[in-house]
Amino acid sequence: MNEDSIDCATLEKLPFSELVQLADEYGVDVPEDLDRRFLIAELLELSEESERLDEEMTIASSESGEDQSVVLSGNFNETQVSCVLRNPAWLFVFWNINDTDMARLKDLPGASLKLRICSLADSHEPKPQEAFEVQTATQSQEQYVLIPKGTKFIKVELVLVTPGAGEVLAFSPVVAIPQGSSLVNDLQPGRDTDFSPIVELSGMKEVLAEQYRNHRHSFS
């Protein structure tokens, strides 16, 4: 699909398999049980963000007056992995592979590169509470990963997987996931809630109703 044609009406007509394929082009890992409406919302946001970055790069290039383009390879012959929060639900992971590890990846039969997403109870806790692995996108050094609900701290390990074995090549710094106020997180539309006068003045009821209308699939 041409990314310039992405809009909500077009995405609504696509089967889930094609939405997943489109997400893969953006480097987004999509769990099998991900809500369709949530995926469409993320794709629209990613498309808008991509268009904005393209416009900013075009403007910057025009202002510089330089005709010759600069190409960065993105590989500094170091094996490393890092991650940043796109928002409290999505983690953006990016990595480099040095020449030696890349040669092993290509030469070892059945070898592949995976991201091990580790949920931690504390920023200084070496052993993860939970972990799952994500296959890296083909011919890419970056990927979006959906953060498990309730995660407080997270780190990513870059793993070289061979038949019957796995070797951690690099790991990222620990990232803290912002936690919302329980006062807000426990609110549900239609449920009687005693709001303080100040909260009433803040328009919390209207905000909650609007959130439910636009993102009702995220409410349990």
Side-chain angles (χ1 to χ4, degrees):
M1 173 187 291
N2 184 352
E3 292 181 6
D4 294 335
S5 65
I6 291 179
D7 57 62
C8 186
T10 302
L11 294 179
E12 289 285 359
K13 297 177 183 178
L14 296 178
F16 187 76
S17 60
E18 292 189 21
L19 293 175
V20 172
Q21 183 178 358
L22 182 58
D24 185 62
E25 294 178 8
Y26 282 106
V28 176
D29 174 66
V30 179
E32 294 181 358
D33 59 348
L34 182 64
D35 188 280
R36 174 187 175 87
R37 289 167 293 182
F38 185 71
L39 178 56
I40 289 176
E42 288 298 324
L43 286 171
L44 290 172
E45 188 172 343
L46 284 169
S47 176
E48 293 175 0
E49 185 176 308
S50 178
E51 291 176 3
R52 178 180 58 80
L53 290 175
D54 289 343
E55 291 176 0
E56 290 177 355
M57 293 177 65
T58 301
I59 293 173
S61 177
S62 301
E63 291 177 348
S64 66
E66 296 180 358
D67 296 330
Q68 185 176 4
S69 61
V70 178
V71 178
L72 299 178
S73 67
N75 194 329
F76 305 99
N77 203 30
E78 295 182 8
T79 297
Q80 55 187 7
V81 62
S82 193
C83 58
V84 293
L85 289 178
R86 179 171 179 267
N87 53 45
W90 288 95
L91 189 69
F92 179 65
V93 185
F94 52 100
W95 60 91
N96 287 320
I97 305 292
N98 65 28
D99 295 341
T100 301
D101 290 331
M102 181 60 72
R104 295 170 60 200
L105 179 62
K106 293 180 178 179
D107 295 341
L108 290 173
S112 64
L113 202 62
K114 292 188 177 183
L115 303 175
R116 181 178 295 149
I117 313 302
C118 304
S119 300
L120 309 175
D122 185 85
S123 59
H124 302 292
E125 178 65 40
K127 186 176 181 179
Q129 284 183 313
E130 297 180 354
F132 64 93
E133 293 183 351
V134 176
Q135 183 67 51
T136 57
T138 306
Q139 302 297 324
S140 177
Q141 291 179 280
E142 58 188 40
Q143 190 158 330
Y144 285 100
V145 177
L146 185 63
I147 300 172
K149 184 178 180 181
T151 301
K152 296 182 178 180
F153 298 93
I154 199 167
K155 73 173 182 179
V156 179
E157 296 176 346
L158 188 64
V159 184
L160 176 63
V161 179
T162 56
E167 177 186 349
V168 177
L169 300 179
F171 55 88
S172 73
V174 176
V175 175
I177 310 300
Q179 303 297 308
S181 168
S182 59
L183 175 65
V184 176
N185 291 341
D186 294 339
L187 293 177
Q188 293 287 338
R191 180 183 298 172
D192 292 335
T193 305
D194 293 327
F195 292 99
S196 69
I198 292 182
V199 174
E200 286 275 8
L201 289 173
S202 72
M204 177 58 71
K205 287 186 177 180
E206 290 76 13
V207 170
L208 179 62
E210 183 67 20
Q211 173 72 7
Y212 181 75
R213 279 194 294 269
N214 294 325
H215 306 284
R216 61 174 57 90
H217 55 281
S218 66
F219 286 81
S220 57

